[in-house]
Amino acid sequence: MANKPSIPKGTRDFSPTEMLRRKYIFSTIERVFQKYGFLPLETPAMENLETLTGKYGEEGDRLIFRIQERGRTFESGVAKAVAAGEGDPKRTSDQVRQQTASEGLRYDLTVPFARYVVQNQNEITFPFKRYQIQPVWRADKPQKGRYREFYQCDADVIGSTSLISEVELVQLFDDVFTALGLHVVVKINDRKVLSGIAEVSGQPEKVVDIVTAIDKLDKIGREKVEEEMRTKGVSDEAIKGIAPLFELKGTWSEQRPQLEKWLSASPTALHGLKDLAFTFDAVGPMKSAILEFDPTLARGLDYYTGAIFEVKAAEGTMPGSICGGGRYDDLTGIFGLKNMSGVGISFGADRIYDVLLETNKFPAELGGSTKLLFANFGAAEAMHCLKLLRQVREAGIAAELYPDHVKMAKQFKYADDKGIAYVAIIGENELKQGIVTVKDMKTGEQKAVKQEELIATIQA
RNA sequence: GUGGAUGUAGCUCAGUUGGUUAGAGCGCCGGAUUGUGAUUCCGGAGGUCGCCGGUUCAAGCCCGGUCCUCCACCCCA
C-alpha cells in the first residue's frame, strides 16, 4: 500500500447515495421513453474502429479511445516504423496508433445505433423507435461537467419523415421534466431556416461558418459573432444581410411574420418555418416546459438537417444545455442505407443530476434504502427477529437485522447514518411480552406495539 | 490540443521573510453507573505536506519535471 489507489482521470465512482439519485433520473427517463413507444437497445462498449472513424469530424476522431491490440504495443510499433525509415515522429505516432488498434470505445450512441439499423435492416419494422441508456467514452481533457466516461440517454425514431415525431419528442421532454419536477425551456430551431439565412445573405456555401458563429451569440455577443464570421471569410455584405437576425424580438407567433418577410426569397427557409409552425401548433399546452423558438440555436452538428432541439434548465445556475437533439436525413447513408430519415434526442444525465442537486429537487426518500432495522440484543432475540424479518419483507418492507450484538448506540448510529426510518427493539422484556418497541428515527418517538401490529405501524 | 491556477489529516482549509516535535473546524474512534442515533461535555487516533529530482547547514514554503483537479479557449453531454 505504498501508493493510494486511484481511478483514471475524467472517470468517477458513484457512491450508494449518488447511485440512488442517478437511478432515479435514469428510471424516470426510461419510463417516459417506454410510454412513448420506444424500445430498449444496447450495443457493445467497443465497436470496430472503422465504424467510428470519420463520423465525428477530424476533432472527433482524435477523441476516440482506441483499444490496444495484444502483442502490438505502441512503442514496438513506433520502433518498427522508425526502423522502416519513417521520419516525421508526429505522423509516425498517428499512423502507429491506427495500426495498433482495430477497435475503439463507443463515442456516442447515435452512430452505433445507425450501424445496428443498417446491419439489421431486414428484421426491423420501420419506423423504428429505440431508446438506449449507456456510457460513452471520449479521450478528452476533463473539466468540470466534462468527463471521459459519461452516460447518454438517447431516444430516436428512424424511418419516418413525419413531423409528428418532433411534436412527440417535445412532449416527451415536457413529461420527463414534469416527472423530475424541474422547469425547463425547450429551444427549437430548424436547420433549413439557418440554411435560408445563409442563402439570403448571399453566401450559402458559408452556411457552416455562419451557423457555428451565430450559435455563440448569447455567449459572446453580436460583435464577436460578426468578428468570427469575418475571420472565417464571410463578406461584410453577407454579415449585413444577417443583421435582421439580431433584431428579432418577441415570441414565436410574433417572430414568424418577421422571419417570413425577411427570408421570403428562400424557399428552403420558408419550408423550415412552416415545419416549425406545425410543431408549435401541434404540441399544445405544456406542463412544466416552455417551448421557445431560438434562431441562434445551431448545435454545430453537421448531420442535422431539420429540427434542432436543446433544453436548458430554467432553475439553477447550469449554463449549458441539459438535453439536445434534432433531425438528420441521412444518418445511415454512411453505412450504405439511403433515405432513412431520423429524429432523436439525448438527455445529459450528469448535468441533470447537477441541476437537481443544486435546486434540491431530489425526493427525500429514494427507494432502495432500508425502512426498518431490527436491533440485535443477542442470539435468542436475534433468532426471534429473523422470523419477524421474513414477515416484514414478505409485506414488501425493506428491512434488515443488525448482524452483531454490539451496544445500542452503535446500532442506532448505523440506522441514522443509513437513513433508516424505524428501528425495532426486541430485548428481553419485549420478547417475554410478545411486543416490539418501534422507534421513529425522525421524530425520536417510540412506542410499544404487539408483534402482529408491527407491519401496520411501519406502513402507517 | 493551447494558455493559466491549484494540490497540506477522511472532508473544507490555515501555515507569517525557508528555522525545532505541521495546526483548526467538521468527520472518525473511545468515554460520561453498559436498552437509544441526530444535540451537549471530556479524551484519543490519524499527515514521509500529490509524486520525483535540485538548491540550502536547514524545504510544506524556493527551482525544475511529472501526475491529478480546476478555469478559459477549442469542442462537446
Side-chain angles (χ1 to χ4, degrees):
Chain A
M1 283 279 279
N3 292 323
K4 269 191 191 172
S6 62
I7 55 175
K9 65 175 172 183
T11 66
R12 296 156 294 164
D13 288 323
F14 299 112
S15 69
T17 308
E18 290 169 319
M19 276 312 296
L20 287 174
R21 290 173 176 157
R22 286 174 68 83
K23 279 182 175 288
Y24 162 72
I25 293 172
F26 290 138
S27 62
T28 301
I29 292 170
E30 184 169 25
R31 201 163 49 241
V32 177
F33 281 167
Q34 289 175 342
K35 203 165 71 179
Y36 278 75
F38 290 90
L39 295 170
L41 177 74
E42 284 202 7
T43 62
M46 62 190 93
E47 292 277 348
N48 293 327
L49 207 46
E50 60 193 39
T51 303
L52 301 172
T53 49
K55 311 298 188 299
Y56 309 106
E58 202 180 318
E59 181 70 15
D61 273 5
R62 298 182 61 91
L63 298 180
I64 295 169
F65 270 106
R66 290 157 205 276
I67 296 170
Q68 187 84 60
E69 278 188 75
R70 276 172 73 96
R72 300 180 69 181
T73 66
F74 181 67
E75 290 73 16
S76 74
V78 171
K80 210 167 157 186
V82 169
E86 261 290 344
D88 183 356
K90 188 164 192 291
R91 225 183 118 203
T92 302
S93 56
D94 278 354
Q95 281 184 351
V96 169
R97 200 154 289 163
Q98 297 281 350
Q99 289 160 4
T100 54
S102 60
E103 291 154 2
L105 295 179
R106 96 165 79 74
Y107 178 89
D108 71 357
L109 300 179
T110 310
V111 165
F113 170 57
R115 189 225 81 220
Y116 174 86
V117 168
V118 174
Q119 208 178 321
N120 298 279
Q121 51 187 285
N122 296 323
E123 284 76 45
I124 292 172
T125 304
F126 293 99
F128 181 45
K129 301 171 77 170
R130 80 90 229 241
Y131 73 85
Q132 196 169 348
I133 300 175
Q134 288 188 275
V136 301
W137 295 270
R138 297 187 186 175
D140 211 344
K141 192 170 168 179
Q143 265 184 41
K144 194 187 183 90
R146 173 190 281 184
Y147 305 99
R148 299 207 303 174
E149 177 186 65
F150 61 96
Y151 274 72
Q152 289 191 331
C153 314
D154 280 23
D156 291 79
V157 185
I158 192 160
S160 161
T161 55
S162 170
L163 290 171
I164 291 192
S165 299
E166 273 85 337
V167 172
E168 286 198 310
L169 290 175
V170 172
Q171 291 170 339
L172 192 155
F173 277 136
D174 189 37
D175 276 5
V176 166
F177 289 107
T178 300
L180 292 174
L182 188 71
H183 290 95
V184 296
V185 177
V186 178
K187 296 187 173 197
I188 184 170
N189 192 8
D190 195 296
R191 181 60 183 265
K192 295 191 287 293
V193 173
L194 293 167
S195 300
I197 291 173
E199 277 176 37
V200 169
S201 78
Q203 284 191 296
E205 77 283 359
K206 287 283 180 190
V207 62
V208 172
D209 291 324
I210 292 172
V211 158
T212 50
I214 56 182
D215 187 42
K216 296 172 189 163
L217 180 64
D218 58 341
K219 206 172 172 186
I220 62 176
R222 177 176 175 175
E223 279 178 23
K224 291 260 172 114
V225 167
E226 293 183 340
E227 194 183 307
E228 179 169 329
M229 286 194 278
R230 219 168 279 129
T231 320
K232 290 279 170 65
V234 181
S235 71
D236 285 346
E237 200 183 335
I239 290 172
K240 208 177 255 175
I242 292 163
L245 176 72
F246 304 117
E247 315 290 340
L248 277 176
K249 283 194 181 71
T251 62
W252 161 248
S253 50
E254 289 158 358
Q255 288 171 328
R256 189 183 172 190
Q258 301 171 48
L259 285 157
E260 281 173 341
K261 194 176 161 198
W262 171 36
L263 303 172
S264 59
S266 164
T268 310
L270 294 177
H271 184 186
L273 290 169
K274 204 175 140 200
D275 284 357
L276 283 168
F278 177 86
T279 305
F280 268 93
D281 290 344
V283 158
M286 304 238 270
K287 288 173 281 189
S288 51
I290 295 167
L291 183 61
E292 206 175 273
F293 170 64
D294 182 354
T296 69
L297 178 62
R299 290 196 59 77
L301 280 174
D302 291 344
Y303 54 70
Y304 288 140
T305 52
I308 303 170
F309 302 111
E310 187 166 286
V311 178
K312 288 193 172 184
E315 309 169 68
T317 56
M318 173 65 66
S321 60
I322 54 177
C323 304
R327 179 172 287 277
Y328 36 86
D329 277 341
D330 195 27
L331 188 73
T332 56
I334 43 178
F335 296 118
L337 181 62
K338 301 282 182 201
N339 299 320
M340 269 291 169
S341 185
V343 57
I345 54 172
S346 181
F347 287 81
D350 295 287
R351 288 185 177 176
I352 292 171
Y353 181 100
D354 290 343
V355 173
L356 292 182
L357 192 65
E358 185 195 351
T359 57
N360 228 336
K361 292 287 171 69
F362 280 112
E365 274 198 34
L366 283 173
S369 65
T370 307
K371 286 281 169 300
L372 174 66
L373 175 75
F374 285 92
N376 190 323
F377 276 80
E381 291 89 343
M383 286 310 291
H384 181 72
C385 289
L386 228 33
K387 278 183 231 150
L388 288 176
L389 195 52
R390 279 190 82 117
Q391 295 171 19
V392 170
R393 285 175 175 158
E394 286 294 327
I397 297 166
E400 58 184 301
L401 165 64
Y402 196 90
D404 305 300
H405 178 207
V406 296
K407 60 182 195 171
M408 281 304 102
K410 195 169 168 70
Q411 301 194 34
F412 274 89
K413 184 159 167 44
Y414 174 84
D416 191 44
D417 286 348
K418 210 169 165 179
I420 295 172
Y422 299 96
V423 175
I425 301 153
I426 303 175
E428 207 180 335
N429 299 338
E430 285 88 351
L431 199 57
K432 268 185 211 155
Q433 298 174 46
I435 58 168
V436 44
T437 301
V438 179
K439 173 156 178 168
D440 182 332
M441 293 298 282
K442 207 164 188 178
T443 62
E445 290 166 12
Q446 62 184 57
K447 57 182 175 182
V449 300
K450 289 181 189 158
Q451 282 177 13
E452 309 84 72
E453 295 165 351
L454 177 61
I455 290 165
T457 306
I458 302 303
Q459 284 170 335

